[in-house]
Amino acid sequence: MSTQPLSAYKILDLSRVRAGPTAVRQLSDWGAQVIKVEIPKDQSDGDDATDRSDYQNIQRNKRSIAINLKDKDGLQILKQLVETADVFIESFRPDVKFRLGIDYETLKQINPRLIYASLSGFGQTGPYKNRPGYDQVIQGMAGLMSITGLPGQGPVRAGIPIADLSTGLLLANGILIALLERHSSGQGQYIETSLLAGQIFMLDLQAARYLIDGEVPPQAGNHHPTTIPTGTFHTLDGHITLAASTQLEFQRLCKILDREDLASSSDYLTPKKRSLNREKLNNELETILMGKPSQYWIEELNKAGIACGPINRVDETFADPQVKHLQLTARVEHPRRGPIDVVGQPITMSRSQWLVHRPAPRCGEQTREILNELGYKTDEIEDFINRHVVYSCS
């Protein structure tokens, strides 16, 4: 771990749910030392959510300390951790950090080099700042659900929590920028983003269609909204997805399909014409593609330089030989579940390596260990536990 690129940095993670932990995962997998600061929990019912697959995938590579931040001794412990931290991440409602006395202006007096990152549903200011923000609500508000799904079927959510995940990745990017800037300034700074802002950023070409062209994008189903033909088609035994939107690609496609007349048709002669007549063209292509099995078309189209692939289930995705070659999973030993596989990082570097080196912790699993590192004696730690200043599950 000492040779990983971010191993010199210490992160205090007070984030919850998914977006904040996604940002932290981007840093911890590359070596950042993460302490997850949690609210003490009653786990006497035996239902430990930390053992679940989703939690293990997103919360790995952390140590956990559970602190009662409403207790003055608990608050003092957190401030001691802040003294040597590089990054502080929180996802409370905007006013909570001020009520607890752990806002940026307060903590930068303790550590001027601290990079403080706030993540919320709608932003730290504005008319919606105190609303609870969850991924599906944001998908709807940010316009994503209006452009997802088949034309006319009504709003459809994405199959993953895309607002949470993309906002977390964007926040990690902001933290890395702030760390780089600190090398020259010597100063920390405050960063904030929101699920709403992140999801609107991810609208990308659809946002540009409205902002620049004044066009409100409709649902386009499994077909690309602007480049034709690009989409999903029935075959003899299933479905494929293909992309042949440039002039050369479209001509090659028509040749392979033995329908070169389509390439010269006045209805499909240019990208603009194909867009205007997209439904008619897609129907003609699908009629031909239904004559042979998916694997035939995948092989033939790829040989001709036309992007084409299967519509995999998740199990088929991880069984794919190219996916296996890319080594996109990592195995970690879990104390109760045994060896488990989690999704790894999609980036490879010539000298640096990401690493999943520990499973996600139980709430307060390393409380004693972390307090020892801060210099507290065993009897002091036991006193904290007995007075409910901290919680330890170990």
Side-chain angles (χ1 to χ4, degrees):
M1 284 188 353
S2 61
T3 60
Q4 287 188 275
L6 300 181
S7 59
Y9 297 107
K10 298 179 181 179
I11 297 174
L12 296 181
D13 176 18
L14 282 78
S15 68
R16 299 169 295 169
V17 193
R18 188 179 307 278
T22 295
V24 175
R25 179 176 59 182
Q26 289 306 108
L27 307 174
S28 66
D29 280 6
W30 294 95
Q33 305 168 55
V34 178
I35 294 177
K36 182 172 173 57
V37 180
E38 304 194 68
I39 298 169
K41 299 174 183 175
D42 180 10
Q43 296 178 333
S44 59
D45 61 1
D47 180 21
D48 191 351
T50 65
D51 285 352
R52 297 174 186 168
S53 57
D54 184 30
Y55 194 90
Q56 286 297 316
N57 190 57
I58 203 168
Q59 300 284 6
R60 76 274 189 115
N61 285 346
K62 301 177 182 181
R63 296 189 297 162
S64 170
I65 182 171
I67 308 175
N68 179 2
L69 295 178
K70 295 180 180 178
D71 185 286
K72 62 180 180 59
D73 289 330
L75 191 58
Q76 181 57 34
I77 291 169
L78 179 66
K79 290 181 176 180
Q80 284 180 265
L81 291 169
V82 167
E83 289 176 6
T84 57
D86 295 287
V87 180
F88 183 101
I89 300 179
E90 62 87 17
S91 60
F92 298 119
R93 299 275 184 92
D95 63 326
V96 171
K97 54 184 165 289
F98 296 101
R99 286 195 279 108
L100 292 174
I102 57 172
D103 56 280
Y104 174 61
E105 292 299 324
T106 299
L107 296 188
K108 82 170 184 179
Q109 303 304 315
I110 300 171
N111 181 357
R113 290 174 55 82
L114 184 69
I115 292 161
Y116 189 118
S118 290
L119 190 149
S120 62
F122 298 94
Q124 299 297 305
T125 58
Y128 301 159
K129 69 175 184 178
N130 290 318
R131 286 188 181 184
Y134 287 93
D135 179 90
Q136 182 152 340
V137 173
I138 301 300
Q139 286 194 36
M141 282 191 67
L144 180 64
M145 291 175 70
S146 75
I147 55 174
T148 304
L150 299 172
Q153 81 172 103
V156 177
R157 69 180 291 275
I160 58 172
I162 188 67
D164 280 337
L165 296 173
S166 56
T167 304
L169 294 173
L170 291 166
L171 182 61
N173 188 46
I175 290 168
L176 292 172
I177 292 169
L179 287 170
L180 285 171
E181 191 278 339
R182 195 178 70 175
H183 283 294
S184 57
S185 70
Q187 297 294 307
Q189 59 181 303
Y190 181 65
I191 303 170
E192 76 104 348
T193 190
S194 65
L195 301 185
L196 183 61
Q199 184 60 80
I200 288 174
F201 176 82
M202 292 298 291
L203 288 179
D204 199 57
L205 77 159
Q206 301 285 39
R209 291 174 70 185
Y210 170 68
L211 293 172
I212 298 173
D213 298 329
E215 180 183 357
V216 178
Q219 289 172 305
N222 290 320
H223 293 280
H224 193 279
T226 59
T227 58
I228 317 299
T230 299
T232 300
F233 297 88
H234 281 91
T235 65
L236 182 63
D237 59 353
H239 295 83
I240 57 170
T241 185
L242 65 85
S245 57
T246 70
Q247 285 295 93
L248 181 59
E249 289 169 343
F250 183 58
Q251 290 166 2
R252 287 176 178 170
L253 174 64
C254 294
K255 184 175 182 179
I256 291 172
L257 299 181
D258 196 25
R259 286 295 306 274
E260 293 182 83
D261 60 299
L262 293 176
S264 58
S265 168
S266 59
D267 286 342
Y268 313 132
L269 200 57
T270 66
K272 185 175 181 179
K273 290 274 192 178
R274 293 196 289 276
S275 183
L276 290 172
N277 297 289
R278 58 182 298 158
E279 188 172 345
K280 179 183 175 184
L281 174 58
N282 286 336
N283 287 338
E284 292 206 59
L285 295 177
E286 189 160 79
T287 299
I288 304 165
L289 292 167
M290 288 177 67
K292 288 185 170 60
S294 296
Q295 194 57 39
Y296 172 84
W297 294 121
I298 291 169
E299 292 174 3
E300 291 301 309
L301 293 176
N302 276 288
K303 279 193 294 187
I306 298 170
C308 179
I311 310 297
N312 285 334
R313 299 189 310 267
V314 174
D315 59 332
E316 293 170 325
T317 294
F318 283 102
D320 187 279
Q322 183 65 26
V323 174
K324 288 184 175 181
H325 172 77
L326 293 175
Q327 299 179 8
L328 294 172
T329 63
R331 179 154 292 187
V332 64
E333 190 70 29
H334 188 276
R336 291 169 296 283
R337 299 195 60 165
I340 58 174
D341 291 328
V342 294
V343 180
Q345 289 289 332
I347 300 167
T348 58
M349 298 186 184
S350 61
R351 291 187 297 105
S352 300
Q353 178 62 48
W354 59 269
L355 178 66
V356 179
H357 61 90
R358 66 163 74 225
R362 297 173 66 196
C363 179
E365 186 171 345
Q366 289 83 26
T367 293
R368 285 187 169 89
E369 177 183 307
I370 293 167
L371 290 176
N372 269 319
E373 292 170 2
L374 289 175
Y376 288 101
K377 301 291 190 286
T378 300
D379 58 342
E380 294 176 299
I381 296 172
E382 294 306 317
D383 177 59
F384 284 151
I385 294 172
N386 291 333
R387 291 194 291 116
H388 306 292
V389 175
V390 298
Y391 167 81
S392 174
C393 68
S394 60

